[in-house]
Amino acid sequence: MKRADWLAAVLYFLIALPALQAARAGEAAAEKPLPATTEAALLMKDIVPEAPVYIRVFKEESELEVWKARPNGRYALIKTFPICNWGGTLGPKRTQGDSMSPEGFYGVTPGAMKPDSKYHLAFNIGYPNALDRALGRTGAYIMVHGDCRSVGCFAMSDKLIEEIYAFVRDALAAGEPSVPVHVFPFRMTDANIKRHADNPARDTWGPLKQAYDDFGETREPPKIGMCGKRYVVNSLTPVGMDPNAACPALIGKRLAPLSPRLSRRLAQNDPSLEARGKKMKTAQESSSIYGFFTSLSWGSTTATISAENRPARQSSDASLGAVQPLLGP
Protein backbone atom coordinates (compact mmCIF):
# COMPACT_ATOMS: atom_id res chain seq x y z
CA MET A 1 0.00 0.00 0.00
CA LYS A 2 1.32 3.43 -0.91
CA ARG A 3 2.00 5.84 1.92
CA ALA A 4 -0.68 8.21 0.64
CA ASP A 5 -3.24 5.37 0.58
CA TRP A 6 -2.22 4.29 4.06
CA LEU A 7 -2.59 7.83 5.42
CA ALA A 8 -5.99 8.12 3.76
CA ALA A 9 -7.11 4.85 5.37
CA VAL A 10 -5.94 5.99 8.81
CA LEU A 11 -7.66 9.35 8.35
CA TYR A 12 -10.91 7.63 7.32
CA PHE A 13 -10.74 5.39 10.39
CA LEU A 14 -10.21 8.34 12.72
CA ILE A 15 -13.16 10.17 11.17
CA ALA A 16 -15.40 7.08 11.40
CA LEU A 17 -14.33 6.13 14.94
CA PRO A 18 -16.93 8.29 16.77
CA ALA A 19 -19.73 6.74 14.71
CA LEU A 20 -18.40 3.24 15.40
CA GLN A 21 -18.19 3.97 19.11
CA ALA A 22 -21.74 5.34 19.11
CA ALA A 23 -23.00 2.21 17.34
CA ARG A 24 -21.27 -0.02 19.91
CA ALA A 25 -22.73 2.04 22.76
CA GLY A 26 -26.18 1.63 21.20
CA GLU A 27 -25.74 -2.12 20.96
CA ALA A 28 -24.65 -2.26 24.59
CA ALA A 29 -27.66 -0.19 25.66
CA ALA A 30 -30.02 -2.50 23.77
CA GLU A 31 -28.61 -5.51 25.60
CA LYS A 32 -28.80 -4.10 29.12
CA PRO A 33 -30.89 -6.22 31.50
CA LEU A 34 -33.60 -4.74 33.66
CA PRO A 35 -32.20 -3.02 36.75
CA ALA A 36 -31.68 -5.39 39.66
CA THR A 37 -34.17 -3.43 41.78
CA THR A 38 -36.84 -3.88 39.11
CA GLU A 39 -36.23 -7.62 38.80
CA ALA A 40 -36.34 -7.99 42.58
CA ALA A 41 -39.66 -6.14 42.78
CA LEU A 42 -41.11 -8.35 40.05
CA LEU A 43 -40.03 -11.55 41.75
CA MET A 44 -41.52 -10.40 45.05
CA LYS A 45 -44.88 -10.14 43.23
CA ASP A 46 -44.42 -13.55 41.54
CA ILE A 47 -43.94 -11.86 38.16
CA VAL A 48 -41.17 -13.26 35.99
CA PRO A 49 -39.13 -10.63 34.14
CA GLU A 50 -40.15 -12.03 30.73
CA ALA A 51 -43.91 -12.02 31.50
CA PRO A 52 -46.15 -10.35 28.89
CA VAL A 53 -46.12 -6.55 28.85
CA TYR A 54 -48.89 -4.01 28.26
CA ILE A 55 -48.05 -0.33 27.68
CA ARG A 56 -50.39 2.63 28.12
CA VAL A 57 -49.49 6.17 27.05
CA PHE A 58 -51.32 9.28 28.28
CA LYS A 59 -50.53 12.35 26.21
CA GLU A 60 -51.87 15.16 28.40
CA GLU A 61 -50.23 13.74 31.53
CA SER A 62 -47.03 12.93 29.57
CA GLU A 63 -46.84 9.50 31.17
CA LEU A 64 -46.05 6.00 29.92
CA GLU A 65 -47.12 3.03 32.03
CA VAL A 66 -45.62 -0.46 31.92
CA TRP A 67 -47.87 -3.27 33.15
CA LYS A 68 -46.92 -6.94 33.37
CA ALA A 69 -48.95 -10.13 33.63
CA ARG A 70 -49.21 -11.93 36.94
CA PRO A 71 -49.65 -15.73 37.10
CA ASN A 72 -53.45 -15.33 37.32
CA GLY A 73 -53.56 -13.40 34.04
CA ARG A 74 -54.28 -10.04 35.66
CA TYR A 75 -51.78 -7.26 35.05
CA ALA A 76 -49.91 -5.25 37.67
CA LEU A 77 -48.62 -1.73 37.18
CA ILE A 78 -44.84 -1.94 37.39
CA LYS A 79 -43.72 1.58 36.69
CA THR A 80 -44.92 4.96 35.38
CA PHE A 81 -42.35 6.79 33.27
CA PRO A 82 -42.42 10.54 32.51
CA ILE A 83 -42.42 11.37 28.81
CA CYS A 84 -39.99 14.13 27.82
CA ASN A 85 -41.87 15.21 24.71
CA TRP A 86 -44.65 14.24 22.34
CA GLY A 87 -45.95 16.02 19.27
CA GLY A 88 -48.88 18.31 18.53
CA THR A 89 -52.09 18.47 20.54
CA LEU A 90 -54.80 16.11 21.76
CA GLY A 91 -56.45 14.08 19.02
CA PRO A 92 -55.37 11.45 16.49
CA LYS A 93 -52.58 11.84 13.98
CA ARG A 94 -54.10 12.37 10.52
CA THR A 95 -51.43 13.27 7.98
CA GLN A 96 -47.73 12.92 7.30
CA GLY A 97 -45.89 15.98 8.56
CA ASP A 98 -48.56 17.28 10.95
CA SER A 99 -46.16 16.67 13.89
CA MET A 100 -49.00 14.98 15.80
CA SER A 101 -48.54 11.98 18.06
CA PRO A 102 -51.24 9.38 17.34
CA GLU A 103 -54.01 8.06 19.56
CA GLY A 104 -55.40 4.55 19.28
CA PHE A 105 -54.49 0.89 19.62
CA TYR A 106 -51.07 -0.21 18.39
CA GLY A 107 -48.49 -2.92 18.99
CA VAL A 108 -44.75 -3.58 18.95
CA THR A 109 -43.54 -6.65 17.06
CA PRO A 110 -39.97 -8.05 17.08
CA GLY A 111 -39.19 -6.35 13.77
CA ALA A 112 -40.16 -2.97 15.24
CA MET A 113 -37.24 -2.89 17.68
CA LYS A 114 -34.53 -0.36 16.77
CA PRO A 115 -31.34 -0.98 18.76
CA ASP A 116 -29.41 1.19 16.29
CA SER A 117 -31.70 4.23 16.51
CA LYS A 118 -30.05 7.63 16.25
CA TYR A 119 -32.24 8.50 19.25
CA HIS A 120 -30.32 6.09 21.49
CA LEU A 121 -32.90 3.25 21.44
CA ALA A 122 -36.35 3.03 19.89
CA PHE A 123 -39.27 0.80 18.98
CA ASN A 124 -41.97 1.47 16.41
CA ILE A 125 -45.51 1.37 17.85
CA GLY A 126 -47.10 0.43 14.50
CA TYR A 127 -48.79 3.61 13.28
CA PRO A 128 -50.62 3.67 10.92
CA ASN A 129 -52.61 0.57 11.77
CA ALA A 130 -55.26 -0.92 9.48
CA LEU A 131 -57.98 1.42 10.74
CA ASP A 132 -55.78 4.49 10.32
CA ARG A 133 -55.14 3.49 6.71
CA ALA A 134 -58.84 2.83 6.09
CA LEU A 135 -59.60 6.33 7.39
CA GLY A 136 -56.99 7.85 5.08
CA ARG A 137 -54.52 8.75 7.80
CA THR A 138 -50.89 8.95 6.70
CA GLY A 139 -47.48 9.04 8.32
CA ALA A 140 -44.96 6.49 9.53
CA TYR A 141 -42.12 5.70 11.91
CA ILE A 142 -43.87 6.72 15.11
CA MET A 143 -41.52 5.56 17.84
CA VAL A 144 -41.00 5.48 21.55
CA HIS A 145 -37.35 6.54 21.70
CA GLY A 146 -34.69 8.35 23.69
CA ASP A 147 -32.98 11.72 23.27
CA CYS A 148 -35.96 13.73 24.62
CA ARG A 149 -36.75 15.24 21.17
CA SER A 150 -40.01 14.67 19.31
CA VAL A 151 -41.86 15.73 16.16
CA GLY A 152 -44.63 13.17 16.61
CA CYS A 153 -42.95 10.35 18.52
CA PHE A 154 -42.97 9.74 22.26
CA ALA A 155 -39.53 10.79 23.45
CA MET A 156 -38.03 9.59 26.72
CA SER A 157 -34.73 10.29 28.41
CA ASP A 158 -31.96 7.92 27.36
CA LYS A 159 -31.89 6.31 30.81
CA LEU A 160 -35.61 5.61 30.84
CA ILE A 161 -35.82 4.28 27.27
CA GLU A 162 -33.19 1.68 28.20
CA GLU A 163 -35.48 0.23 30.87
CA ILE A 164 -38.65 0.45 28.75
CA TYR A 165 -36.80 -1.13 25.82
CA ALA A 166 -35.66 -4.00 28.08
CA PHE A 167 -39.24 -4.66 29.22
CA VAL A 168 -40.44 -4.93 25.61
CA ARG A 169 -37.39 -6.84 24.36
CA ASP A 170 -37.66 -9.50 27.06
CA ALA A 171 -41.40 -10.00 26.56
CA LEU A 172 -40.99 -10.43 22.80
CA ALA A 173 -38.04 -12.79 23.26
CA ALA A 174 -40.18 -14.91 25.60
CA GLY A 175 -42.85 -15.33 22.94
CA GLU A 176 -45.30 -12.43 23.26
CA PRO A 177 -46.08 -11.88 19.55
CA SER A 178 -46.87 -8.19 19.91
CA VAL A 179 -46.68 -5.88 22.92
CA PRO A 180 -49.86 -3.76 22.93
CA VAL A 181 -49.31 -0.01 23.11
CA HIS A 182 -52.56 1.88 23.72
CA VAL A 183 -52.30 5.64 23.36
CA PHE A 184 -54.89 7.81 25.13
CA PRO A 185 -55.34 11.58 24.95
CA PHE A 186 -55.50 11.65 28.78
CA ARG A 187 -56.69 9.46 31.62
CA MET A 188 -60.23 8.80 30.46
CA THR A 189 -62.07 9.70 33.64
CA ASP A 190 -65.55 11.19 33.45
CA ALA A 191 -64.18 14.47 34.79
CA ASN A 192 -61.52 14.66 32.08
CA ILE A 193 -64.01 13.76 29.35
CA LYS A 194 -66.27 16.58 30.57
CA ARG A 195 -63.34 19.00 30.73
CA HIS A 196 -62.57 18.30 27.06
CA ALA A 197 -66.20 18.27 25.91
CA ASP A 198 -65.56 20.94 23.28
CA ASN A 199 -62.47 19.28 21.78
CA PRO A 200 -63.02 18.52 18.07
CA ALA A 201 -61.38 15.10 18.54
CA ARG A 202 -64.00 14.03 21.08
CA ASP A 203 -65.88 11.88 18.54
CA THR A 204 -62.80 9.63 18.20
CA TRP A 205 -62.50 8.89 21.93
CA GLY A 206 -65.41 6.48 22.48
CA PRO A 207 -63.44 3.23 22.00
CA LEU A 208 -60.54 4.62 24.02
CA LYS A 209 -62.90 5.38 26.89
CA GLN A 210 -64.29 1.84 26.69
CA ALA A 211 -60.82 0.30 26.75
CA TYR A 212 -59.82 2.46 29.70
CA ASP A 213 -62.93 1.55 31.69
CA ASP A 214 -62.77 -2.16 30.83
CA PHE A 215 -59.17 -2.40 31.92
CA GLY A 216 -60.10 -0.69 35.16
CA GLU A 217 -62.51 -3.55 35.86
CA THR A 218 -60.56 -6.55 34.60
CA ARG A 219 -56.86 -5.63 34.72
CA GLU A 220 -56.59 -7.54 31.42
CA PRO A 221 -55.46 -5.72 28.26
CA PRO A 222 -58.54 -4.98 26.14
CA LYS A 223 -59.06 -7.15 23.05
CA ILE A 224 -59.32 -4.88 20.02
CA GLY A 225 -61.11 -5.62 16.76
CA MET A 226 -61.97 -3.55 13.70
CA CYS A 227 -65.02 -3.42 11.45
CA GLY A 228 -67.18 -0.77 9.84
CA LYS A 229 -64.19 1.60 9.88
CA ARG A 230 -64.14 1.71 13.67
CA TYR A 231 -62.64 -0.05 16.66
CA VAL A 232 -64.54 -2.71 18.61
CA VAL A 233 -63.44 -3.34 22.20
CA ASN A 234 -63.77 -6.69 24.00
CA SER A 235 -66.38 -8.06 21.62
CA LEU A 236 -68.37 -11.18 22.47
CA THR A 237 -69.14 -12.03 18.86
CA PRO A 238 -65.92 -12.59 16.88
CA VAL A 239 -64.72 -9.42 15.16
CA GLY A 240 -61.57 -9.49 13.04
CA MET A 241 -59.01 -6.84 12.16
CA ASP A 242 -60.41 -5.75 8.80
CA PRO A 243 -61.76 -2.20 9.22
CA ASN A 244 -63.52 -2.42 5.86
CA ALA A 245 -65.52 -5.53 6.80
CA ALA A 246 -69.14 -5.19 7.84
CA CYS A 247 -69.80 -5.43 11.58
CA PRO A 248 -71.98 -8.25 12.93
CA ALA A 249 -75.59 -7.30 13.67
CA LEU A 250 -74.96 -7.99 17.34
CA ILE A 251 -71.56 -7.66 18.93
CA GLY A 252 -71.87 -7.59 22.70
CA LYS A 253 -69.09 -7.41 25.23
CA ARG A 254 -67.23 -9.91 27.38
CA LEU A 255 -65.35 -9.10 30.53
CA ALA A 256 -65.59 -11.85 33.16
CA PRO A 257 -65.84 -15.67 33.11
CA LEU A 258 -69.27 -17.09 32.33
CA SER A 259 -71.05 -19.31 34.79
CA PRO A 260 -71.85 -22.76 33.29
CA ARG A 261 -75.57 -22.02 33.57
CA LEU A 262 -75.39 -18.72 31.68
CA SER A 263 -73.04 -20.29 29.15
CA ARG A 264 -75.60 -22.98 28.33
CA ARG A 265 -78.40 -20.43 28.13
CA LEU A 266 -76.47 -18.23 25.72
CA ALA A 267 -75.69 -21.21 23.52
CA GLN A 268 -79.36 -22.23 23.44
CA ASN A 269 -80.53 -18.71 22.59
CA ASP A 270 -77.96 -18.09 19.89
CA PRO A 271 -75.37 -20.79 19.04
CA SER A 272 -73.35 -18.30 16.99
CA LEU A 273 -72.30 -16.46 20.13
CA GLU A 274 -69.08 -17.43 21.88
CA ALA A 275 -70.99 -18.90 24.81
CA ARG A 276 -67.86 -20.37 26.35
CA GLY A 277 -65.95 -17.15 26.11
CA LYS A 278 -66.47 -14.43 28.66
CA LYS A 279 -69.46 -12.80 30.23
CA MET A 280 -71.64 -10.54 28.12
CA LYS A 281 -71.94 -7.05 29.52
CA THR A 282 -73.63 -5.05 26.77
CA ALA A 283 -74.74 -5.41 23.21
CA GLN A 284 -75.48 -3.03 20.41
CA GLU A 285 -77.01 -2.72 17.01
CA SER A 286 -73.97 -2.30 14.79
CA SER A 287 -75.78 0.29 12.67
CA SER A 288 -75.57 2.73 15.59
CA ILE A 289 -72.12 3.78 16.75
CA TYR A 290 -73.51 5.49 19.83
CA GLY A 291 -75.59 2.44 20.64
CA PHE A 292 -72.35 0.50 20.87
CA PHE A 293 -71.47 2.38 24.05
CA THR A 294 -74.91 2.63 25.67
CA SER A 295 -77.21 -0.25 24.71
CA LEU A 296 -78.11 -2.95 27.22
CA SER A 297 -80.52 -4.84 24.98
CA TRP A 298 -80.06 -7.89 22.78
CA GLY A 299 -83.24 -7.12 20.83
CA SER A 300 -85.22 -10.35 20.49
CA THR A 301 -82.52 -12.36 22.27
CA THR A 302 -82.78 -11.98 26.03
CA ALA A 303 -79.46 -12.74 27.69
CA THR A 304 -78.81 -9.91 30.11
CA ILE A 305 -78.72 -10.05 33.90
CA SER A 306 -81.52 -8.24 35.68
CA ALA A 307 -80.64 -4.97 37.37
CA GLU A 308 -81.48 -6.22 40.85
CA ASN A 309 -79.18 -9.25 40.45
CA ARG A 310 -76.36 -7.44 38.72
CA PRO A 311 -73.38 -6.76 41.00
CA ALA A 312 -72.49 -3.15 41.53
CA ARG A 313 -69.99 -1.96 38.98
CA GLN A 314 -66.80 -0.71 40.53
CA SER A 315 -65.81 2.77 39.45
CA SER A 316 -62.89 2.29 37.12
CA ASP A 317 -61.82 5.86 37.75
CA ALA A 318 -61.53 5.20 41.46
CA SER A 319 -59.90 1.81 41.05
CA LEU A 320 -57.32 3.09 38.61
CA GLY A 321 -56.65 6.11 40.77
CA ALA A 322 -55.83 3.80 43.65
CA VAL A 323 -53.28 1.79 41.68
CA GLN A 324 -49.70 2.42 42.70
CA PRO A 325 -46.76 1.16 40.65
CA LEU A 326 -44.45 -1.42 42.13
CA LEU A 327 -41.58 0.95 41.45
CA GLY A 328 -41.26 4.70 41.15
CA PRO A 329 -39.87 6.39 38.04
Side-chain angles (χ1 to χ4, degrees):
M1 178 183 292
K2 295 181 179 179
R3 180 178 179 82
D5 293 338
W6 182 83
L7 289 174
V10 171
L11 181 62
Y12 176 82
F13 176 79
L14 291 175
I15 293 173
L17 184 59
L20 292 171
Q21 290 175 333
R24 289 174 181 171
E27 289 173 359
E31 296 167 2
K32 284 184 178 180
L34 287 171
T37 52
T38 300
E39 290 192 345
L42 293 176
L43 293 174
M44 288 178 65
K45 294 292 183 178
D46 294 325
I47 302 173
V48 295
E50 62 272 17
V53 166
Y54 172 44
I55 291 175
R56 302 199 307 173
V57 173
F58 299 98
K59 290 167 66 172
E60 185 174 59
E61 292 85 354
S62 293
E63 291 181 338
L64 182 151
E65 294 179 344
V66 172
W67 297 71
K68 285 184 74 68
R70 304 188 72 172
N72 63 2
R74 309 295 185 183
Y75 279 61
L77 176 59
I78 307 304
K79 208 164 187 178
T80 300
F81 296 89
I83 298 173
C84 281
N85 278 298
W86 52 273
T89 59
L90 300 184
K93 181 176 180 63
R94 299 184 187 277
T95 59
Q96 175 78 36
D98 64 4
S99 297
M100 287 283 286
S101 296
E103 294 170 6
F105 304 109
Y106 302 98
V108 183
T109 59
M113 305 298 284
K114 291 286 293 177
D116 57 346
S117 171
K118 65 180 179 180
Y119 299 108
H120 192 57
L121 292 173
F123 51 82
N124 192 321
I125 69 170
Y127 173 91
N129 62 24
L131 179 60
D132 292 320
R133 292 192 294 271
L135 295 175
R137 296 171 182 168
T138 58
Y141 306 113
I142 301 299
M143 308 274 182
V144 175
H145 62 63
D147 201 36
C148 274
R149 293 182 295 165
S150 173
V151 289
C153 296
F154 298 100
M156 317 298 296
S157 72
D158 287 354
K159 179 180 179 181
L160 296 186
I161 190 59
E162 289 180 2
E163 187 168 357
I164 298 166
Y165 188 96
F167 275 119
V168 176
R169 177 200 64 211
D170 292 351
L172 292 173
E176 187 173 7
S178 177
V179 171
V181 178
H182 294 176
V183 184
F184 301 85
F186 42 77
R187 295 187 182 277
M188 309 293 288
T189 65
D190 292 339
N192 282 342
I193 291 286
K194 183 177 181 180
R195 184 164 55 86
H196 291 286
D198 296 330
N199 193 297
R202 180 185 170 88
D203 62 351
T204 68
W205 292 341
L208 291 166
K209 171 66 169 168
Q210 281 190 84
Y212 181 89
D213 286 346
D214 288 357
F215 184 68
E217 289 193 28
T218 68
R219 292 293 187 270
E220 295 177 348
K223 303 297 189 294
I224 307 301
M226 301 176 188
C227 64
K229 292 192 175 181
R230 62 185 175 92
Y231 290 118
V232 178
V233 180
N234 287 326
S235 60
L236 178 66
T237 301
V239 173
M241 296 298 288
D242 181 359
N244 296 306
C247 290
L250 293 173
I251 293 179
K253 176 167 287 196
R254 57 185 186 180
L255 288 179
L258 280 172
S259 69
R261 181 179 178 183
L262 185 54
S263 177
R264 289 192 298 269
R265 196 171 86 184
L266 282 175
Q268 290 171 356
N269 288 339
D270 188 347
S272 67
L273 296 178
E274 287 187 335
R276 298 192 181 186
K278 294 188 176 182
K279 178 179 175 182
M280 169 192 60
K281 182 184 138 188
T282 62
Q284 109 283 8
E285 296 293 339
S286 65
S287 60
S288 170
I289 292 178
Y290 296 103
F292 176 65
F293 305 119
T294 59
S295 173
L296 293 174
S297 171
W298 278 93
S300 60
T301 302
T302 302
T304 55
I305 302 173
S306 63
E308 60 269 23
N309 294 326
R310 186 181 299 116
R313 176 172 175 168
Q314 184 183 15
S315 167
S316 60
D317 297 345
S319 63
L320 280 175
V323 170
Q324 297 295 324
L326 301 185
L327 294 161

